[in-house]
Amino acid sequence: MTLIAAGTMVLDGQICRPGWLTVSGRRIGDCGCGAPPHPPDIDYPDATTVVPGFVDMHVHGGGGAWYTDGHPDEIASAAGFHLRHGTTTTLASLVTASPDDLLAAVRGLAEATRKGVIAGIHIEGPWLSRERCGAHDPGQLRDPDRAEIDAVLAAGDDAIRMVTLAPELPGSAAAIRRFVDAGTVVAVGHTDATYEQTRQAIAAGATVGTHLFNAMRPLHHREPGPALALLQDPGVTLELIADGVHVHPALVRGVIEAAGADRVALVTDATAAAGCADGSFRLGTQEIDVVSGVAHVHGTSTLAGSTATMDGLFRNVAGLSSDPDEGLAAAVAMTSTTPARVLGLGHVGSLRSGMDANLVVLSQVLEISSVMVNGGWVSDQGSHWPRAQPPN
């Protein structure tokens, strides 16, 4: 058993100065605010902050690797890159592809989920709006089809945690019900839906808004569109890409103030370009160009995912509040607790007794110092890191 103490530790949402916890195997044992019960094995100074490991529920790749092909080495490389940036729980996101390619990628990611490399699969496409497709291949978009959905669920073998679809498409209502019945979280995104169509999707079981404001019909005073419907419903969790590019910081703050941190999940929507120098990359079948760290579909002004990492998003939102404690607590909720709850991952997202020992050690300026996953420290290379158990 290892006793860890730190100048600041966020335990079960409570900011403790100081705080401590014990790690036994892959789990957190005892924990508490104040001085530890005996001299700690690891004692971090007052300027250090320990928070739960980050949970990214929408990420396509990173470090030059992607999830879209379902190749084991690519999956491990992308997950390892984000792990070194504090993401101890990853939901690997797919993009629009042909039926055969989609099934192949799902099978590869399902195997990675069984091995604990990732926590599950997020299918973003092909059931999206052509008018709001963003970086998705418009030639592969299609309406929801029961036979294809059944085939995808079978290939996923219970690893499909979330699916994004456009609720205005024919067959979407039945698709939402089918996914919900299968225990899959349904998100509204890449959509040209009206306000009324979005409310109907929520009534049918949709509970997430995919990267709010991006790739959806914009807010208008006579046609409020999907964003308002998603914001208004207390049962809907709102994804935000708080990288300073996708959503203006003032709007990020406004959404957090209006909805509350317990309804906001920060996501990177990162591509293989995350952590790489500017250049040309691929997202599914689409070519993307990265200039000054911003990714666009080749030859267009359309954003194509991001180059963000969760530690960067954490820093961005922690600094939005004038109250440091309030900002820190909100950042922890939006990067860990909220996404874990939405995905039904009861063993991650918080530092408390019995949870997986996933934690991030941050410096005074909230830069990554160390990362622990399942009770083991992550090396700088990340080539050998403890695998998570398959999700509960």
Side-chain angles (χ1 to χ4, degrees):
M1 181 176 292
T2 301
L3 174 60
I4 302 172
T8 302
M9 188 174 288
V10 183
L11 299 174
D12 202 14
Q14 180 182 1
I15 298 174
C16 299
R17 292 196 175 97
W20 60 272
L21 59 78
T22 62
V23 175
S24 180
R26 60 173 286 123
R27 304 287 185 184
I28 296 172
D30 296 326
C31 55
C33 290
H38 54 79
D41 301 291
I42 302 174
D43 192 3
Y44 290 109
D46 290 345
T48 300
T49 300
V50 177
V51 299
F54 306 137
V55 179
D56 193 351
M57 56 192 280
H58 188 159
V59 51
H60 298 279
W66 46 70
Y67 298 121
T68 53
D69 293 337
H71 191 280
D73 291 342
E74 293 280 328
I75 296 169
S77 180
F81 167 79
H82 285 288
L83 178 64
R84 295 190 295 277
H85 286 272
T87 299
T88 53
T89 303
T90 292
L91 202 63
S93 300
L94 293 174
V95 294
T96 297
S98 70
D100 288 345
D101 287 345
L102 176 61
L103 288 175
V106 167
R107 292 188 186 101
L109 290 172
E111 179 62 22
T113 302
R114 286 189 289 271
K115 292 180 177 179
V117 180
I118 57 174
I121 306 168
H122 165 217
I123 297 179
E124 188 185 24
W127 309 298
L128 309 176
S129 163
R130 288 169 177 80
E131 289 76 15
R132 308 288 176 183
C133 63
H136 291 258
D137 183 352
Q140 294 291 349
L141 296 174
R142 47 198 182 270
D143 295 338
D145 173 78
R146 176 60 184 259
E148 181 176 31
I149 290 171
D150 286 346
V152 166
L153 287 170
D157 190 25
D158 295 328
I160 299 173
R161 289 273 173 176
M162 186 167 73
V163 60
T164 294
L165 54 78
E168 72 274 20
L169 297 179
S172 63
I176 292 171
R177 290 191 294 270
R178 176 69 181 97
F179 280 118
V180 170
D181 288 345
T184 302
V185 174
V186 175
V188 172
H190 285 276
T191 175
D192 200 42
T194 64
Y195 174 81
E196 291 76 15
Q197 287 171 324
T198 307
R199 285 179 57 86
Q200 291 168 5
I202 295 170
T207 55
V208 172
T210 292
H211 43 51
L212 191 67
F213 303 117
N214 288 276
M216 61 177 59
R217 182 191 289 239
L219 189 69
H220 187 275
H221 59 285
R222 285 189 294 271
E223 173 42 66
L228 183 61
L230 295 166
L231 276 162
Q232 283 182 324
D233 195 293
V236 172
T237 299
L238 311 164
E239 287 187 356
L240 281 178
I241 310 172
D243 61 350
V245 175
H246 284 77
V247 184
H248 192 283
L251 189 53
V252 171
R253 181 185 300 184
V255 170
I256 296 169
E257 291 174 350
D262 61 342
R263 284 189 55 207
V264 175
L266 299 186
V267 298
T268 61
D269 196 16
T271 67
C276 300
D278 289 355
S280 298
F281 297 85
R282 182 171 62 86
L283 180 60
T285 59
Q286 301 283 75
E287 292 185 19
I288 62 175
D289 298 323
V290 178
V291 179
S292 300
V294 180
H296 293 96
V297 176
H298 178 69
T300 76
S301 61
T302 301
L303 290 173
S306 86
T307 60
T309 54
M310 287 294 282
D311 57 324
L313 302 186
F314 186 99
R315 288 190 293 273
N316 289 348
V317 298
L320 289 177
S321 174
S322 58
D323 182 332
D325 282 4
E326 183 179 279
L328 176 60
V332 167
M334 293 184 289
T335 58
S336 301
T337 313
T338 298
R341 186 191 70 246
V342 171
L343 297 174
L345 301 174
H347 58 298
V348 300
S350 181
L351 299 181
R352 66 174 185 266
S353 180
M355 302 289 277
D356 284 355
N358 295 347
L359 57 87
V360 177
V361 183
L362 300 169
S363 71
Q364 185 173 11
V365 292
L366 302 183
E367 298 278 355
I368 295 281
S369 294
S370 302
V371 178
M372 174 183 282
V373 60
N374 304 319
W377 294 106
V378 177
S379 69
D380 290 339
Q381 294 74 33
S383 54
H384 300 287
W385 45 276
R387 304 302 193 198
Q389 290 182 348
N392 295 341

